[in-house]
């Protein structure tokens, strides 16, 4: 009983962390939209006739689904791995945002650490979306190193 209550309290705390901690609303919004799979990927746009292709704008190898864009492309997996390893000193592969959030929720990190990790994840998601848009509009993708360094400085700024 106590254990259950504690877990539920944990859950509430975590949701509060996700939706309320960020100084930067755009990071909070993108996290919510990625969780709900509401980003306007080419796969989605092709379905409703707005895009002529459903393929990934960067690798062109498969449809641009949420999973492909945020968790399967090399750019995305490397950025996420680098930020996780920077914040945690370790890094495991993440296959989806829900599994990542479940893992964080169940982890034994302090509330503050979870706060920073949540911010880090949101900033990576934002950076991935930003680079995807740049690849479309400006025909350029920043290097993984450049992106990771930018993401780190945003994490530092937004969790002060
Ligand atoms: Zn791709």
């Amino acid at each position: 009983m106590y254990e259950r209550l504690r877990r539920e309290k944990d859950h509430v705390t975590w949701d509060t962390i996700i939706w309320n901690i960020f100084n930067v609303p755009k990071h909070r919004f993108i996290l919510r939209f990625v969780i709900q799979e509401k980003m306007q990927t080419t796969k989605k746009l092709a379905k409703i006739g707005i895009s002529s292709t459903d393929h990934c704008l960067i690798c062109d190898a498969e449809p641009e689904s949420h999973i492909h864009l945020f968790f399967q492309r090399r750019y995305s997996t490397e950025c996420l791995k680098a930020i996780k390893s920077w914040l945690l000193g370790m890094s495991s592969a993440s296959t989806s945002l829900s599994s990542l959030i479940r893992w964080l929720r169940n982890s034994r990190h302090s509330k503050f650490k979870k706060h920073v990790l949540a911010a880090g994840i949101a900033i990576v998601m934002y950076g991935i979306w930003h680079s995807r848009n740049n690849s479309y509009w400006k025909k350029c993708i920043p290097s993984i190193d450049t992106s990771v360094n930018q993401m780190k400085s945003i994490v530092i700024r937004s969790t002060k």
Side-chain angles (χ1 to χ4, degrees), residues 4 7-9 25 29 33 38-39 55 62 70 80 84 87 90 107 117 125 127 129 132-133 144 147 150:
R4 209 182 120 208
R7 267 209 314 272
E8 277 169 9
K9 189 165 165 283
F29 289 134
F33 277 19
K38 282 191 173 164
M39 303 304 288
H55 269 205
E62 40 184 305
F70 292 99
L80 193 53
K84 274 169 72 185
L87 292 171
M90 53 158 260
S107 76
L117 286 164
M125 298 297 127
W129 185 249
R132 175 260 189 207
N133 289 340
I144 291 167
S147 300
Q150 278 170 355

Side-chain angles (χ1 to χ4, degrees), residues 96-159:
S96 70
L97 193 52
S98 55
S99 69
L100 194 55
I101 285 174
R102 211 171 25 247
W103 168 76
L104 268 178
R105 191 165 59 211
N106 296 332
S107 76
R108 291 173 178 272
H109 298 297
S110 67
K111 197 172 156 186
F112 175 74
K113 187 119 196 192
K114 287 183 176 184
H115 167 147
V116 175
L117 286 164
I121 292 167
I123 287 158
V124 174
M125 298 297 127
Y126 184 82
I128 290 169
W129 185 249
H130 192 70
S131 78
R132 175 260 189 207
N133 289 340
N134 270 348
S135 78
Y136 182 72
W137 296 107
K138 298 183 185 163
K139 309 289 175 220
C140 73
I141 309 170
S143 74
I144 291 167
D145 283 349
T146 307
S147 300
V148 167
N149 285 334
Q150 278 170 355
M151 288 169 185
K152 284 179 182 175
S153 61
I154 299 170
V155 172
I156 291 167
R157 274 206 310 273
S158 65
T159 54

